[in-house]
Amino acid sequence: MNTAPDGKEESALRAGTRRYWEEVRSGLRKPPRVIAKENREKAQLEFYELVRKQKEAEDRLANQHEVLNLKSEALTGRVLASKQSILAASQPFTPVTGVYFLVQGNVIAYIGQSVSIQARIRTHQTDAKVLFDAVAYVPCVQEDLDILESLYIHMFQPPCNGGATGGGKAAPFSMTQIAELALSSKGKLTK
């Protein structure tokens, strides 16, 4: 495909160029160097205006932080942590799998298990069946949850775990099943 201008197009281009430069010489148009210089100056002024506005915003934010720190100190006796210190101290959130213990006073009131102990404990906070004022947990792999929870329930007999037939506390595995597992060479327990 030929993209070179033909004779008529070339004449029109030359005429347009000639007209442009005549307008520049007569003062009707600005020369390209002047236009480029003006555009650079305009861009530079816009940049400095943006920098000025950003500085003003940062100053307003700093003043707001100072005011909030004064209020915090008056109300709590503490100043607020900075964004940088909060971000530096942040850690990835990972759910903890394991067996947890809900403690009331000096009594292990309930023993449970979860693949996300934090989430499970939140559900207990809205449940009036189990009162607790402290929490502890033992992390473990998901495959060991039933056996570990059962062992702890049989050992501590927490009052809020409910009763099982035979007088013990409800647990995923009975003591008989746990004994069978301990004696078996398979190492697997079935409910």
Side-chain angles (χ1 to χ4, degrees), residues 32 36 51 117 123 125 134 156 162 172-173:
V51 169
I117 292 174
T123 65
Q125 289 175 317
F156 294 120
F173 296 113

Side-chain angles (χ1 to χ4, degrees), residues 44-59:
Q44 195 173 25
L45 289 173
E46 289 173 353
F47 174 76
Y48 288 132
E49 180 64 13
L50 286 173
V51 169
R52 185 189 64 75
K53 286 181 179 179
Q54 182 179 2
K55 178 68 174 133
E56 284 178 359
E58 289 171 354
D59 290 345

Side-chain angles (χ1 to χ4, degrees), residues 102-106 131-135:
L102 303 181
V103 178
Q104 177 66 35
N106 215 14
L131 298 176
F132 63 98
D133 55 23
V135 176

Side-chain angles (χ1 to χ4, degrees), residues 50-158:
L50 286 173
V51 169
R52 185 189 64 75
K53 286 181 179 179
Q54 182 179 2
K55 178 68 174 133
E56 284 178 359
E58 289 171 354
D59 290 345
R60 277 194 309 274
L61 189 59
N63 289 338
Q64 182 182 12
H65 285 201
E66 288 176 30
V67 168
L68 291 173
N69 266 332
L70 290 172
K71 289 180 180 179
S72 176
E73 198 166 17
L75 294 169
T76 67
R78 301 177 63 177
V79 296
L80 301 172
S82 70
K83 179 181 178 181
Q84 293 83 0
S85 65
I86 291 170
L87 293 176
S90 68
Q91 299 174 0
F93 174 78
T94 54
V96 176
T97 298
V99 175
Y100 62 91
F101 308 85
L102 303 181
V103 178
Q104 177 66 35
N106 215 14
V107 174
I108 297 173
Y110 183 83
I111 298 173
Q113 61 163 294
S114 181
V115 293
S116 178
I117 292 174
Q118 303 93 322
R120 183 67 180 106
I121 289 172
R122 279 192 295 276
T123 65
H124 282 296
Q125 289 175 317
T126 60
D127 182 9
K129 295 176 188 169
V130 181
L131 298 176
F132 63 98
D133 55 23
V135 176
Y137 66 90
V138 175
C140 73
V141 295
Q142 187 172 351
E143 296 78 31
D144 292 343
L145 284 173
D146 285 340
I147 189 69
L148 194 60
E149 178 191 23
S150 297
L151 289 166
Y152 278 117
I153 289 172
H154 291 301
M155 184 163 77
F156 294 120
Q157 296 289 306

Side-chain angles (χ1 to χ4, degrees), residues 9-20:
E9 290 174 337
E10 193 172 326
S11 295
L13 286 171
R14 283 188 193 147
T17 304
R18 206 173 20 254
R19 203 174 23 253
Y20 173 81

